[in-house]
Amino acid sequence: MGKYQEPGRSAQRSERITRRQLLAGAFATAGGLTATACRRSSLTAGQGAPPDPTKVQGLPPGDAAGRRSPFVRLTREAGWTFWSYTPLGNIDGIITPSDLHYEVHHAGAAVVDPNRWTLTIHGMVERPIVLNLDDLRKFPSLSRIVFLECSGNSPVSWRSAGSPQDTVQNLVGLTSCSLWTGVAVSTLLREVGVKAGAKWALAEGSDAAVMTRSIPIEKLMSDAMVAYGQNGEPLRIAQGFPARLLLPGWEGNTNIKWLRRLELADAPFMHKEETGSYTDPMPDGKVRQFTFVIEARSIITSPSGGQTLPGPGFCEIRGLAWSGRGRINRVEVSTDGGGAWLPATLDEPVLPMAHTRFRFPWKWDGREVVIESRAIDETGYVQPTRAQLVKVRGTGSIYHFNGIQPWRVTPDGKVTNAIA
Ligand SMILES: Nc1nc2c(c(=O)[nH]1)N[C@H]1C(S)=C(S)[C@@H](COP(=O)(O)O)O[C@H]1N2
Ligand SMILES: [Mo]
């Protein structure tokens, strides 16, 4: 018998369920209703399913049945100590399951007690305030599907274009998309009254990095949100529980998590994340600062690096496209190394500043081929090739790469990074 019991269930009842499940050979999950050595061992993928599930009672309603099937392996692959990648090659649709949302935190994911958390809005305002979580949740709410992307997604693509073994997860996995719920920052700023001359706000996190970024007031007054909800539940710890700044379409770093302070001022604060990090050395020797908007990008998620095609024949090419400047208008796919570009189908909904799913029917003839996609957003911007990007930007940066990513399919069906 494990220690945990569902409220209202007697020990005997839990015992009965345990025995029944064991007899049925059904699986349970670690930390679930009960946890005995025996039930835990049946968690291994490929075990625990009865040969004929119509002949045995299934799992009772509850946590165990709500878990991902033990036959499904979906994990965020750890990058470096600070980040983990969304498994873009193994998920469908446009919403990233919350536990698979990529994470970047410069000093670990802060564990914040929601009862002690506060948000202070001060500086060039008429009426400074300190809000607790209940106060925040009382304001009119809004929900919106928005992608996030770390501007350091694909840092290797600038210098070396990666290695042949790259997967879509480790090359481009620092982007995800969720339904965020929260309060418009414009609502909060109206509450405090912005003083004339205030042009920027410092957003500050309550993590050990005390992450701080300067954000122009225009962005805060247009579509910025203080989000407390993610895909219908409170934010996950890694996403900034209990509340984060959400700036649709802007580089991930500006979306301050574990947000505790907004300080209004007449100039940017020039903290290290906007003077050292997240800036782009340009070929003319200057450094570009405050590159906020994520430019249009797309990626074929399947078939993609590390995957193997079972053989020639029909294969639906699938991928994701997004733009920080609005909606994706078109995605084009080439299956001949960039010669001909044909339109892919965009799956509804096609939302501004959200991942957009595209699909392209393809028949692989079994010969070596290079497949790639390019996004065109509603401003008419066309996603460039890596060569085009490097021509303008040089190779001095590790940020803001959005070049086309080609994949090579060899006759044995293996898929590799074609520009490595
Ligand atoms: N307080 C705080 N906010 C932060 C960070 C951090 O380290 N601390 N990392 C930033 C970076 S670099 C990115 S890309 C995004 C990542 O958001 P996610 O972890 O929810 O995907 O959060 C940003 N907000
Ligand atoms: Mo980031």
Side-chain angles (χ1 to χ4, degrees):
M1 269 300 296
K3 279 188 215 86
Y4 177 74
Q5 273 181 30
E6 267 186 295
R9 285 196 193 273
S10 70
Q12 288 92 328
R13 173 134 170 79
S14 292
E15 188 88 282
R16 245 187 2 252
I17 290 163
T18 307
R19 233 180 261 127
R20 188 181 71 206
Q21 286 174 327
L22 278 174
L23 287 172
F27 55 79
T29 54
L33 211 61
T34 56
T36 64
C38 190
R39 294 183 70 203
R40 236 196 283 270
S41 68
S42 68
L43 244 188
T44 339
Q47 287 177 8
D52 181 354
T54 68
K55 297 290 182 284
V56 292
Q57 188 78 14
L59 294 174
D63 280 352
R67 301 279 164 90
R68 215 163 261 144
S69 159
F71 296 91
V72 176
R73 287 253 165 261
L74 276 174
T75 49
R76 287 187 288 213
E77 191 183 302
W80 198 31
T81 48
F82 298 358
W83 63 79
S84 73
Y85 305 102
T86 291
L88 293 177
N90 303 302
I91 58 175
D92 299 312
I94 61 168
I95 299 293
T96 310
S98 298
D99 66 318
L100 301 176
H101 195 288
Y102 86 91
E103 44 179 336
V104 180
H105 25 75
H106 292 213
V111 180
V112 176
D113 177 348
N115 299 310
R116 299 217 310 256
W117 174 87
T118 57
L119 171 62
T120 302
I121 308 180
H122 67 133
M124 292 178 69
V125 301
E126 304 290 348
R127 298 168 295 277
I129 45 171
V130 179
L131 302 169
N132 65 26
L133 197 55
D134 289 337
D135 300 331
L136 186 70
R137 294 184 75 113
K138 268 186 215 145
F139 283 95
S141 62
L142 77 149
S143 292
R144 185 170 172 189
I145 296 173
V146 170
F147 80 83
L148 278 179
E149 183 180 17
C150 177
S151 46
N153 204 3
S154 324
V156 296
S157 297
W158 284 116
R159 268 163 243 202
S160 66
S163 74
Q165 294 77 34
D166 282 322
T167 64
V168 65
Q169 183 170 6
N170 74 34
L171 263 187
V172 194
L174 296 183
T175 182
S176 309
C177 186
S178 290
L179 174 70
W180 305 96
T181 300
V183 181
V185 177
S186 60
T187 304
L188 299 173
L189 291 184
R190 270 194 291 277
E191 184 77 8
V192 296
V194 176
K195 281 193 176 158
K199 297 251 174 325
W200 293 76
L202 186 75
E204 182 183 81
S206 55
D207 53 332
V210 194
M211 178 70 68
T212 37
R213 283 297 301 260
S214 305
I215 314 294
I217 292 284
E218 300 86 72
K219 181 64 174 176
L220 296 177
M221 289 303 283
S222 64
D223 59 356
M225 190 195 287
V226 175
Y228 47 75
Q230 178 184 6
N231 299 329
E233 61 174 346
L235 296 181
R236 294 290 173 114
I237 293 171
Q239 268 64 62
F241 178 83
R244 80 177 306 163
L245 188 61
L246 192 80
L247 303 178
W250 281 28
E251 64 175 349
N253 185 261
T254 60
N255 294 257
I256 300 296
K257 302 188 281 191
W258 313 289
L259 182 70
R260 71 171 181 191
R261 200 161 72 86
L262 288 172
E263 179 181 351
L264 278 69
D266 57 2
F269 289 73
M270 299 298 179
H271 276 232
K272 80 171 165 57
E273 307 297 344
E274 52 210 16
T275 52
S277 307
Y278 302 99
T279 57
D280 302 297
M282 301 295 273
D284 64 1
K286 291 190 177 158
V287 175
R288 197 173 71 177
Q289 202 183 8
F290 298 125
T291 304
F292 289 129
V293 182
I294 296 283
E295 298 288 3
R297 189 172 191 180
S298 70
I299 180 76
I300 293 175
T301 54
S302 152
S304 62
Q307 298 180 354
T308 306
L309 292 186
F314 178 75
C315 169
E316 185 172 71
I317 292 176
R318 298 176 186 145
L320 291 169
W322 60 95
S323 167
R325 298 199 188 274
R327 277 188 181 76
I328 289 296
N329 243 8
R330 216 159 72 238
V331 174
E332 295 172 341
V333 169
S334 170
T335 56
D336 63 358
W341 291 90
L342 293 166
T345 301
L346 303 186
D347 279 351
E348 292 293 337
V350 177
L351 301 168
M353 294 119 174
H355 278 178
T356 298
R357 178 61 65 176
F358 69 85
R359 297 179 287 115
F360 182 86
W362 177 50
K363 204 170 156 198
W364 183 43
D365 61 12
R367 280 189 291 227
E368 176 160 324
V369 65
V370 170
I371 59 171
E372 58 204 302
S373 66
R374 69 179 177 204
I376 297 120
D377 71 14
E378 65 178 306
T379 70
Y381 175 93
V382 182
Q383 182 186 3
T385 62
R386 174 173 180 272
Q388 287 169 332
L389 260 187
V390 165
K391 213 164 147 196
V392 180
R393 303 258 315 269
T395 55
S397 185
I398 54 167
Y399 301 110
H400 306 106
F401 182 88
N402 68 320
I404 291 171
Q405 174 60 50
W407 302 116
R408 173 172 288 107
V409 184
T410 42
D412 56 3
K414 293 222 156 57
V415 188
T416 54
N417 178 359
I419 46 167

